[in-house]
Amino acid sequence: HSYPQSVIFQSFMGFDGFFFGRLDYQDRARRMRSKEQELLWRASDSLTPPMADLFTGILPNGYNPPDGFCWDQSCDDPPIRDDPDLEDYNVDDVVQRFVNIAIAQSTVYKTNHIIMTMGSDFQYENANLWYKNLDKLSLRQRPAGQRLHRANLTWPLKTDDFLPYADNAHDFWTGTLPFRPALKRYERLSNSNLQTCNQLEVLGGSASRKGPFGVGDSHTMKNAMAVAQHHDAVSGTEKQHVANDYARRLANGWLHCQVVVSNSLAALSGSSAERLYCDNLNISVCPLTESSKKFSVTVYNPLARSVASAVRLPVNGSVYIVLDAGGKSVDCQVRTKLFLYTFNMRLYIFKSTAFIFWKKVILHLICVFQFLQVTFDPDTGLLSSLSNLETKQSIKLTQNFYWYNASDGNNAHSNQSSGAYIFRPNTSTPFVISKTAKIESFQTSVVQEVRQWFSPWVSQVVRLYADSRAVELEWTVGPLPIADSLGKEVITRMDTSIQTAEYFYTDSNGREVLQRKKNFRPTWKLRQSEPVAGNYYPINSRAFIKDDVDQLTVVTDRSQGGGSLRNGSLEIMLHRRLLYDDTRGVAEPLNETSDIFPEGLVVRGRFLLTLDRPSSAADTHRPLAEEVVLQPLLTFTDGDLDPNTQREVGTPHCMFSGLQAALPPAVHLLTLSQWDEDSVLLRLEHQFQTWESKVHSQPVTIQLQKLFSTVEVVGVSELNLSANQWKEEMKRLQWTPQSGTTIGRTHTRAHTHTQWPSFINLAQQRV
C-alpha cells in the first residue's frame, strides 16, 4: 500500500481507520510476534501530526476466511449441519473450531477486539451459501474500530510505506509495476483527456453539452476511468480480453468527450467548423496533416499556468509556414515550439511551402542549447555525459538497454515463475541488448535530435529543445523476441558519476517523495532473497538519484517500476513478455499480441531527464511531471478557417483563457468539473513538500472570485476530497502514538453552506 493512501483516507476523506490484508511476509511475521498488527500510519512529512495519522489494522487472513470456514460453491469445507438428527451434525465442532481460531488470533493482536474476515475474491460467487451458514453461526458483532479506540491504548507509529510486497522468499509482487505498459500509458493519457473534457464542459457552459456537434457527455468517460482504477485494471493483472475491454471503454468514453470538447471550442471560438482528433500521434499518424496542404491546429493547455510545449505533426510537404493566433509567422522548422498559456485555446495555421528544414549531421555527437548539453560517445553511440550550463554542473551519464531472463520456475530455490504479479529474473545480471548504437544526428534552431538503433526491436530518439531544461528520451521497445523460448523483461539503465551510497528516491502516487535504499526496509531487518525484484519500487511519475552536489531526475509518462542496484545507477523496466503464468489468478502468461502487432506488442514511451542542484531540483521536476500528466490537447480543422473566425485572427476568438490569472507554480489544479446545473467541483493541490524548495515550499493563498474568466463565483462550500461530506461536518477519531498524548474524537461546528470571503489557504501537500 502506497504512502499517500493514509493521508487521502484520513485527512482528506475523513476515515477513522483502514484495514488491509497484504503486507510483506517478513513484516507480518515480525508484527505478529510483537503484537503490532495495529498501528498508526503517519504518511506525510509535510502535514502536522496528527493530521496524517491513520489507524491501520492488518487483517488476520488476508481477505480470506479462516481455514475450514469457506462456504462458497468453489470451496470444499462442509456446511454447518444444525439438525441434531443428522448423522453429519457438526455445530459443536464448528463452534469449537471457531472459538479456537478466535483465541489464537487474539494472541497476535494487542487487544481481544478482533476482526474475522469471510469470503474472498475467488470464493464469493454464491451469497446464499455464505449467508445461510453465517446466520447459523450467529456471530455477535460490534464496531471493532470504536472498541479499539475506547481501549485508550497507544499504538506503534509507521512513517514509511508497505512496499515492495512479497508473500514468500522468492515471490515479490513487483511484476505488476511495469505490467501492460501500453495500457498504463493509455490510462494516463485518458485521464489527461478526461480532465480537459471536464474543464471545457465548465468553461463552455451548457453549449458544451448540446451544440453544433450534437449531444455530448463527460459521464461515460468518468465511468470508464473509474472502472480503470480497479487494482486489477491499471496494474494490468487481468486476462488479455479484459484488458482489451478496459481500453475499449476508455476509447468509447473519449468519443463522448470529443463532442463536449468540440461544442465548447465552437462556443469559445465562434467557429462551428468540423474539428478532427488525431489519437495516433504517438506513432506519427494523422490523416489530415499528412494529406492537407492547409490546416489549422487549436491547442488547449489544461494546466493552470503557462507552459512551453513541443508539438510534432506528421506531414508530407517539404516545409510548412506556421502562423500563430496573431497572424505572425512562427519559426519554420519541422518541429515547431508552441507557447501555451493558462487554460489556453490558441490557433495555429499551417500552409505548405517548398523549403527544406532538417539538417542531417551524421558525425555531430553533442546536443547543446541554452540550458543543457548532451554528449555521446563517438565509438559506442551511447550517451556519455549531461551538463547543466545554467548551474555549471556536469555528470558522466551512460544509458543502455538490457533484459532479464524471466524465471520459468524450474530451479532449486523455488518453482515460482515470473508472471503478471511476480517479477523473478533467473540472474541478477541483465543481458545487454547491444554494446553500441547506430546513430544519426539532426539539428534545427528549435530542436536537436540523436536517433539511436540498438537492435531491430529497440530504438530511441534523444531530443533537446532550445528553451528546455529537460532532455527527452523517446524509447521504442518491441516486439520482444521469444523464438529462443526465453521470457524477457526489458529495462533501461542509467549509470552516472553521482555518489548515491545505495540510496535513491521515488515519488508515491505523484505526491510525496520517499527515500529508498538497496536491501533495506525502515520497519524491519530485511533478509533479502531476490536481489533484483526485492529492490524494485513503484515509479508513478518520477525517480531520482543524488549526492551533495548533483541530482539526476527521471520523469516518466506512465506508472513503472525500477530501482538502484549499484552506486550511481537507476534502472526502470519498460516492457515484459513472459511464457508462463505465475499462479496468482490471471491464469495465462503475459504474452501480448494483437491484430496490429501479431508478433508481439510494440511500446513507445518517454522520459524527461533533468540535472540540478539537490536544493532546487524540485523547482524543475515538480512542474515538469505536472506537464506530462496533463498534456495539451490538439484539435484540427482542414482547409481555410471559418470566415467569421478568419476575420478574427489576432482577436480573442482565436485566443481564449479560462483563467483571469495563472495559479502560483506551487498549486496544481486537480479538478474543474461540472457538479450540477449551477455548481462546479474544484480541487486544488499544493504539490511541494515542506523541505523541497526555498521558493515554492510556502503556503499559498488563492482568491476564487478572481480565478475564472467564464465562471461567476457566488458562493463556496468546502467538502472532503471525495466530495461526499461537508468538510466542517467531518468527525474523525484521533489516536495516540506510543510517544504521544491521547486525543479524543474531533468535533467540528455545524456547516455553513456558503463561506466568505472566497479565499483559500493551501499549505504544503494540502488538497
Short mmCIF file of all heavy atoms in Angstrom, two decimals, residues 284-336:
data_model
loop_
_atom_site.label_atom_id
_atom_site.label_comp_id
_atom_site.label_asym_id
_atom_site.label_seq_id
_atom_site.Cartn_x
_atom_site.Cartn_y
_atom_site.Cartn_z
N SER A 284 3.04 8.75 -35.05
CA SER A 284 3.17 9.66 -36.20
C SER A 284 2.13 9.39 -37.27
O SER A 284 2.43 9.32 -38.46
CB SER A 284 4.59 9.57 -36.80
OG SER A 284 5.55 9.89 -35.84
N VAL A 285 0.87 9.25 -36.84
CA VAL A 285 -0.23 9.04 -37.77
C VAL A 285 -1.29 10.10 -37.52
O VAL A 285 -1.82 10.22 -36.41
CB VAL A 285 -0.85 7.64 -37.62
CG1 VAL A 285 -2.10 7.51 -38.48
CG2 VAL A 285 0.16 6.57 -37.99
N CYS A 286 -1.57 10.90 -38.54
CA CYS A 286 -2.66 11.87 -38.51
C CYS A 286 -3.09 12.10 -39.95
O CYS A 286 -2.43 12.85 -40.69
CB CYS A 286 -2.24 13.18 -37.86
SG CYS A 286 -3.57 14.41 -37.79
N PRO A 287 -4.14 11.44 -40.42
CA PRO A 287 -4.52 11.51 -41.84
C PRO A 287 -4.68 12.94 -42.36
O PRO A 287 -4.30 13.22 -43.50
CB PRO A 287 -5.84 10.74 -41.88
CG PRO A 287 -5.74 9.77 -40.74
CD PRO A 287 -5.01 10.51 -39.67
N LEU A 288 -5.23 13.84 -41.54
CA LEU A 288 -5.46 15.20 -42.02
C LEU A 288 -4.15 15.91 -42.30
O LEU A 288 -3.94 16.46 -43.39
CB LEU A 288 -6.27 15.99 -40.99
CG LEU A 288 -6.44 17.48 -41.31
CD1 LEU A 288 -7.20 17.68 -42.62
CD2 LEU A 288 -7.12 18.21 -40.16
N THR A 289 -3.22 15.92 -41.35
CA THR A 289 -1.98 16.67 -41.54
C THR A 289 -1.10 16.04 -42.61
O THR A 289 -0.28 16.73 -43.22
CB THR A 289 -1.19 16.74 -40.22
OG1 THR A 289 -0.81 15.42 -39.81
CG2 THR A 289 -2.04 17.36 -39.12
N GLU A 290 -1.28 14.74 -42.86
CA GLU A 290 -0.48 14.07 -43.88
C GLU A 290 -1.04 14.27 -45.28
O GLU A 290 -0.35 14.00 -46.26
CB GLU A 290 -0.40 12.57 -43.56
CG GLU A 290 0.38 12.25 -42.29
CD GLU A 290 0.37 10.77 -41.95
OE1 GLU A 290 1.18 10.04 -42.54
OE2 GLU A 290 -0.47 10.36 -41.12
N SER A 291 -2.28 14.72 -45.39
CA SER A 291 -2.90 14.84 -46.71
C SER A 291 -3.25 16.27 -47.09
O SER A 291 -3.36 16.59 -48.28
CB SER A 291 -4.17 13.98 -46.78
OG SER A 291 -5.12 14.42 -45.81
N SER A 292 -3.44 17.15 -46.10
CA SER A 292 -3.89 18.50 -46.40
C SER A 292 -2.71 19.45 -46.56
O SER A 292 -1.71 19.35 -45.85
CB SER A 292 -4.81 19.00 -45.28
OG SER A 292 -5.21 20.33 -45.53
N LYS A 293 -2.84 20.39 -47.50
CA LYS A 293 -1.81 21.40 -47.70
C LYS A 293 -2.02 22.62 -46.81
O LYS A 293 -1.13 23.47 -46.68
CB LYS A 293 -1.75 21.83 -49.16
CG LYS A 293 -1.26 20.74 -50.10
CD LYS A 293 -1.08 21.26 -51.51
CE LYS A 293 -0.49 20.19 -52.43
NZ LYS A 293 -0.28 20.69 -53.81
N LYS A 294 -3.23 22.73 -46.24
CA LYS A 294 -3.51 23.85 -45.35
C LYS A 294 -4.47 23.39 -44.27
O LYS A 294 -5.53 22.86 -44.56
CB LYS A 294 -4.09 25.03 -46.13
CG LYS A 294 -4.29 26.29 -45.27
CD LYS A 294 -4.79 27.45 -46.11
CE LYS A 294 -4.90 28.71 -45.28
NZ LYS A 294 -5.40 29.86 -46.07
N PHE A 295 -4.09 23.59 -43.04
CA PHE A 295 -4.97 23.19 -41.94
C PHE A 295 -4.62 24.03 -40.72
O PHE A 295 -3.56 24.68 -40.66
CB PHE A 295 -4.80 21.70 -41.62
CG PHE A 295 -3.40 21.29 -41.25
CD1 PHE A 295 -2.97 21.31 -39.93
CD2 PHE A 295 -2.50 20.89 -42.23
CE1 PHE A 295 -1.67 20.94 -39.60
CE2 PHE A 295 -1.21 20.51 -41.91
CZ PHE A 295 -0.79 20.54 -40.59
N SER A 296 -5.51 24.06 -39.77
CA SER A 296 -5.28 24.81 -38.53
C SER A 296 -5.30 23.84 -37.36
O SER A 296 -5.96 22.80 -37.38
CB SER A 296 -6.34 25.89 -38.33
OG SER A 296 -7.63 25.31 -38.20
N VAL A 297 -4.55 24.20 -36.34
CA VAL A 297 -4.46 23.40 -35.12
C VAL A 297 -4.84 24.27 -33.94
O VAL A 297 -4.27 25.35 -33.75
CB VAL A 297 -3.03 22.85 -34.91
CG1 VAL A 297 -2.97 21.98 -33.66
CG2 VAL A 297 -2.57 22.08 -36.12
N THR A 298 -5.81 23.83 -33.18
CA THR A 298 -6.17 24.50 -31.93
C THR A 298 -5.53 23.73 -30.78
O THR A 298 -5.71 22.51 -30.68
CB THR A 298 -7.69 24.56 -31.74
OG1 THR A 298 -8.27 25.27 -32.84
CG2 THR A 298 -8.05 25.27 -30.45
N VAL A 299 -4.79 24.43 -29.95
CA VAL A 299 -4.06 23.79 -28.85
C VAL A 299 -4.65 24.28 -27.54
O VAL A 299 -4.72 25.49 -27.29
CB VAL A 299 -2.56 24.14 -28.92
CG1 VAL A 299 -1.79 23.35 -27.88
CG2 VAL A 299 -2.01 23.88 -30.31
N TYR A 300 -5.09 23.33 -26.70
CA TYR A 300 -5.66 23.68 -25.40
C TYR A 300 -4.74 23.19 -24.29
O TYR A 300 -4.37 22.02 -24.24
CB TYR A 300 -7.05 23.05 -25.22
CG TYR A 300 -7.66 23.35 -23.87
CD1 TYR A 300 -8.25 24.58 -23.61
CD2 TYR A 300 -7.62 22.41 -22.85
CE1 TYR A 300 -8.78 24.86 -22.36
CE2 TYR A 300 -8.15 22.68 -21.60
CZ TYR A 300 -8.74 23.91 -21.36
OH TYR A 300 -9.26 24.19 -20.12
N ASN A 301 -4.38 24.09 -23.40
CA ASN A 301 -3.50 23.78 -22.28
C ASN A 301 -4.34 23.57 -21.03
O ASN A 301 -4.93 24.51 -20.51
CB ASN A 301 -2.52 24.93 -22.07
CG ASN A 301 -1.72 24.79 -20.78
OD1 ASN A 301 -1.52 23.69 -20.29
ND2 ASN A 301 -1.27 25.93 -20.24
N PRO A 302 -4.42 22.34 -20.49
CA PRO A 302 -5.27 22.10 -19.32
C PRO A 302 -4.64 22.50 -18.00
O PRO A 302 -5.30 22.39 -16.96
CB PRO A 302 -5.49 20.58 -19.37
CG PRO A 302 -4.27 20.05 -20.04
CD PRO A 302 -3.83 21.10 -21.02
N LEU A 303 -3.39 22.93 -18.01
CA LEU A 303 -2.75 23.36 -16.77
C LEU A 303 -3.15 24.79 -16.44
O LEU A 303 -3.50 25.58 -17.32
CB LEU A 303 -1.23 23.25 -16.88
CG LEU A 303 -0.67 21.84 -17.01
CD1 LEU A 303 0.84 21.89 -17.19
CD2 LEU A 303 -1.04 20.99 -15.81
N ALA A 304 -3.06 25.11 -15.17
CA ALA A 304 -3.47 26.44 -14.71
C ALA A 304 -2.30 27.41 -14.67
O ALA A 304 -2.28 28.33 -13.86
CB ALA A 304 -4.12 26.33 -13.33
N ARG A 305 -1.35 27.20 -15.53
CA ARG A 305 -0.20 28.09 -15.67
C ARG A 305 0.34 27.96 -17.08
O ARG A 305 0.02 27.02 -17.80
CB ARG A 305 0.90 27.73 -14.65
CG ARG A 305 1.36 26.30 -14.77
CD ARG A 305 2.47 25.96 -13.80
NE ARG A 305 2.85 24.56 -13.89
CZ ARG A 305 3.66 24.05 -14.80
NH1 ARG A 305 4.19 24.84 -15.72
NH2 ARG A 305 3.96 22.77 -14.82
N SER A 306 1.17 28.90 -17.47
CA SER A 306 1.74 28.89 -18.81
C SER A 306 2.80 27.81 -18.93
O SER A 306 3.56 27.57 -17.98
CB SER A 306 2.36 30.25 -19.14
OG SER A 306 1.40 31.27 -19.07
N VAL A 307 2.84 27.16 -20.08
CA VAL A 307 3.87 26.16 -20.36
C VAL A 307 4.35 26.35 -21.79
O VAL A 307 3.65 26.92 -22.63
CB VAL A 307 3.35 24.72 -20.18
CG1 VAL A 307 2.89 24.48 -18.75
CG2 VAL A 307 2.24 24.40 -21.15
N ALA A 308 5.54 25.86 -22.06
CA ALA A 308 6.06 25.79 -23.43
C ALA A 308 6.10 24.33 -23.81
O ALA A 308 6.74 23.52 -23.14
CB ALA A 308 7.45 26.42 -23.52
N SER A 309 5.40 23.99 -24.87
CA SER A 309 5.27 22.58 -25.24
C SER A 309 5.59 22.39 -26.71
O SER A 309 5.19 23.19 -27.55
CB SER A 309 3.85 22.08 -24.94
OG SER A 309 3.69 20.74 -25.30
N ALA A 310 6.29 21.31 -27.00
CA ALA A 310 6.61 20.99 -28.39
C ALA A 310 5.44 20.26 -29.02
O ALA A 310 4.86 19.36 -28.42
CB ALA A 310 7.86 20.12 -28.45
N VAL A 311 5.09 20.64 -30.24
CA VAL A 311 4.03 19.98 -31.00
C VAL A 311 4.66 19.40 -32.26
O VAL A 311 5.18 20.14 -33.09
CB VAL A 311 2.89 20.95 -31.35
CG1 VAL A 311 1.86 20.27 -32.23
CG2 VAL A 311 2.24 21.50 -30.09
N ARG A 312 4.62 18.08 -32.39
CA ARG A 312 5.19 17.40 -33.57
C ARG A 312 4.04 16.77 -34.35
O ARG A 312 3.24 16.01 -33.81
CB ARG A 312 6.20 16.33 -33.14
CG ARG A 312 7.38 16.88 -32.40
CD ARG A 312 8.52 15.86 -32.34
NE ARG A 312 8.10 14.61 -31.72
CZ ARG A 312 8.16 14.37 -30.41
NH1 ARG A 312 8.59 15.32 -29.60
NH2 ARG A 312 7.78 13.21 -29.93
N LEU A 313 3.99 17.10 -35.65
CA LEU A 313 2.93 16.60 -36.51
C LEU A 313 3.52 15.91 -37.72
O LEU A 313 4.49 16.40 -38.31
CB LEU A 313 2.03 17.76 -36.97
CG LEU A 313 1.36 18.60 -35.88
CD1 LEU A 313 0.60 19.75 -36.52
CD2 LEU A 313 0.44 17.75 -35.03
N PRO A 314 2.95 14.79 -38.15
CA PRO A 314 3.41 14.14 -39.39
C PRO A 314 2.85 14.87 -40.60
O PRO A 314 1.64 15.13 -40.70
CB PRO A 314 2.83 12.73 -39.28
CG PRO A 314 1.61 12.88 -38.43
CD PRO A 314 1.90 13.99 -37.47
N VAL A 315 3.73 15.25 -41.53
CA VAL A 315 3.31 15.95 -42.75
C VAL A 315 4.04 15.35 -43.93
O VAL A 315 5.08 14.70 -43.79
CB VAL A 315 3.59 17.46 -42.66
CG1 VAL A 315 2.73 18.12 -41.61
CG2 VAL A 315 5.07 17.72 -42.37
N ASN A 316 3.50 15.58 -45.12
CA ASN A 316 4.12 15.08 -46.34
C ASN A 316 4.77 16.18 -47.17
O ASN A 316 5.50 15.91 -48.12
CB ASN A 316 3.09 14.34 -47.21
CG ASN A 316 2.82 12.94 -46.68
OD1 ASN A 316 3.72 12.28 -46.17
ND2 ASN A 316 1.58 12.49 -46.79
N GLY A 317 4.50 17.44 -46.83
CA GLY A 317 5.13 18.54 -47.55
C GLY A 317 6.57 18.72 -47.13
O GLY A 317 7.03 18.18 -46.12
N SER A 318 7.30 19.51 -47.90
CA SER A 318 8.70 19.76 -47.58
C SER A 318 8.83 20.67 -46.37
O SER A 318 9.59 20.41 -45.45
CB SER A 318 9.41 20.40 -48.77
OG SER A 318 9.38 19.56 -49.89
N VAL A 319 8.06 21.77 -46.39
CA VAL A 319 8.10 22.76 -45.30
C VAL A 319 6.72 23.36 -45.17
O VAL A 319 5.99 23.48 -46.16
CB VAL A 319 9.13 23.87 -45.60
CG1 VAL A 319 8.90 25.09 -44.74
CG2 VAL A 319 10.53 23.35 -45.39
N TYR A 320 6.36 23.72 -43.96
CA TYR A 320 5.09 24.39 -43.72
C TYR A 320 5.34 25.74 -43.07
O TYR A 320 6.11 25.84 -42.11
CB TYR A 320 4.19 23.54 -42.82
CG TYR A 320 3.51 22.42 -43.55
CD1 TYR A 320 4.23 21.31 -43.99
CD2 TYR A 320 2.15 22.45 -43.80
CE1 TYR A 320 3.62 20.29 -44.65
CE2 TYR A 320 1.52 21.42 -44.47
CZ TYR A 320 2.26 20.34 -44.90
OH TYR A 320 1.63 19.33 -45.57
N ILE A 321 4.71 26.77 -43.61
CA ILE A 321 4.70 28.06 -42.93
C ILE A 321 3.67 27.98 -41.81
O ILE A 321 2.53 27.54 -42.02
CB ILE A 321 4.32 29.19 -43.90
CG1 ILE A 321 5.43 29.36 -44.95
CG2 ILE A 321 4.09 30.49 -43.15
CD1 ILE A 321 5.09 30.38 -46.00
N VAL A 322 4.05 28.41 -40.63
CA VAL A 322 3.16 28.34 -39.47
C VAL A 322 2.87 29.76 -39.00
O VAL A 322 3.79 30.55 -38.75
CB VAL A 322 3.80 27.52 -38.34
CG1 VAL A 322 2.83 27.40 -37.16
CG2 VAL A 322 4.21 26.14 -38.83
N LEU A 323 1.58 30.07 -38.91
CA LEU A 323 1.14 31.37 -38.40
C LEU A 323 0.51 31.17 -37.03
O LEU A 323 -0.27 30.23 -36.83
CB LEU A 323 0.12 32.02 -39.35
CG LEU A 323 0.56 32.18 -40.80
CD1 LEU A 323 -0.58 32.78 -41.63
CD2 LEU A 323 1.80 33.07 -40.88
N ASP A 324 0.81 32.06 -36.09
CA ASP A 324 0.21 31.94 -34.77
C ASP A 324 -1.14 32.64 -34.74
O ASP A 324 -1.64 33.12 -35.77
CB ASP A 324 1.15 32.46 -33.69
CG ASP A 324 1.39 33.97 -33.80
OD1 ASP A 324 0.67 34.66 -34.56
OD2 ASP A 324 2.31 34.45 -33.11
N ALA A 325 -1.74 32.68 -33.55
CA ALA A 325 -3.09 33.25 -33.43
C ALA A 325 -3.13 34.73 -33.75
O ALA A 325 -4.19 35.27 -34.05
CB ALA A 325 -3.62 33.01 -32.02
N GLY A 326 -1.99 35.39 -33.71
CA GLY A 326 -1.95 36.80 -34.07
C GLY A 326 -1.63 37.05 -35.53
O GLY A 326 -1.45 38.19 -35.94
N GLY A 327 -1.54 35.97 -36.34
CA GLY A 327 -1.24 36.11 -37.74
C GLY A 327 0.23 36.26 -38.03
O GLY A 327 0.63 36.48 -39.18
N LYS A 328 1.07 36.12 -37.01
CA LYS A 328 2.50 36.26 -37.20
C LYS A 328 3.13 34.91 -37.52
O LYS A 328 2.69 33.88 -37.05
CB LYS A 328 3.14 36.86 -35.95
CG LYS A 328 2.66 38.26 -35.62
CD LYS A 328 3.34 38.78 -34.36
CE LYS A 328 2.85 40.18 -34.02
NZ LYS A 328 3.50 40.69 -32.78
N SER A 329 4.19 34.96 -38.32
CA SER A 329 4.87 33.74 -38.72
C SER A 329 5.67 33.17 -37.56
O SER A 329 6.34 33.89 -36.83
CB SER A 329 5.81 34.04 -39.90
OG SER A 329 6.52 32.88 -40.26
N VAL A 330 5.55 31.85 -37.42
CA VAL A 330 6.32 31.12 -36.41
C VAL A 330 7.52 30.51 -37.11
O VAL A 330 7.45 30.12 -38.27
CB VAL A 330 5.45 30.04 -35.74
CG1 VAL A 330 6.25 29.24 -34.73
CG2 VAL A 330 4.24 30.68 -35.08
N ASP A 331 8.62 30.42 -36.40
CA ASP A 331 9.86 29.88 -36.96
C ASP A 331 9.60 28.59 -37.74
O ASP A 331 9.01 27.64 -37.21
CB ASP A 331 10.85 29.61 -35.82
CG ASP A 331 12.22 29.22 -36.35
OD1 ASP A 331 12.48 29.43 -37.54
OD2 ASP A 331 13.01 28.69 -35.56
N CYS A 332 9.98 28.57 -39.00
CA CYS A 332 9.68 27.44 -39.89
C CYS A 332 10.66 26.29 -39.64
O CYS A 332 11.78 26.30 -40.14
CB CYS A 332 9.76 27.88 -41.35
SG CYS A 332 8.45 29.01 -41.83
N GLN A 333 10.23 25.35 -38.86
CA GLN A 333 11.02 24.16 -38.59
C GLN A 333 10.09 22.95 -38.64
O GLN A 333 8.89 23.08 -38.47
CB GLN A 333 11.68 24.23 -37.20
CG GLN A 333 12.56 25.45 -36.99
CD GLN A 333 13.81 25.41 -37.83
OE1 GLN A 333 14.19 24.35 -38.32
NE2 GLN A 333 14.45 26.55 -38.00
N VAL A 334 10.67 21.80 -38.84
CA VAL A 334 9.87 20.58 -38.84
C VAL A 334 9.21 20.39 -37.48
O VAL A 334 8.07 20.01 -37.36
CB VAL A 334 10.72 19.36 -39.18
CG1 VAL A 334 9.92 18.08 -38.99
CG2 VAL A 334 11.21 19.46 -40.60
N ARG A 335 9.94 20.67 -36.41
CA ARG A 335 9.38 20.58 -35.08
C ARG A 335 9.23 22.00 -34.56
O ARG A 335 10.21 22.65 -34.25
CB ARG A 335 10.27 19.76 -34.14
CG ARG A 335 10.57 18.36 -34.65
CD ARG A 335 9.31 17.51 -34.74
NE ARG A 335 9.63 16.14 -35.04
CZ ARG A 335 9.56 15.61 -36.25
NH1 ARG A 335 9.23 16.36 -37.28
NH2 ARG A 335 9.84 14.33 -36.44
N THR A 336 8.01 22.49 -34.46
CA THR A 336 7.76 23.87 -34.07
C THR A 336 7.42 23.95 -32.59
O THR A 336 6.64 23.15 -32.08
CB THR A 336 6.61 24.47 -34.89
OG1 THR A 336 6.96 24.38 -36.27
CG2 THR A 336 6.35 25.91 -34.53
#
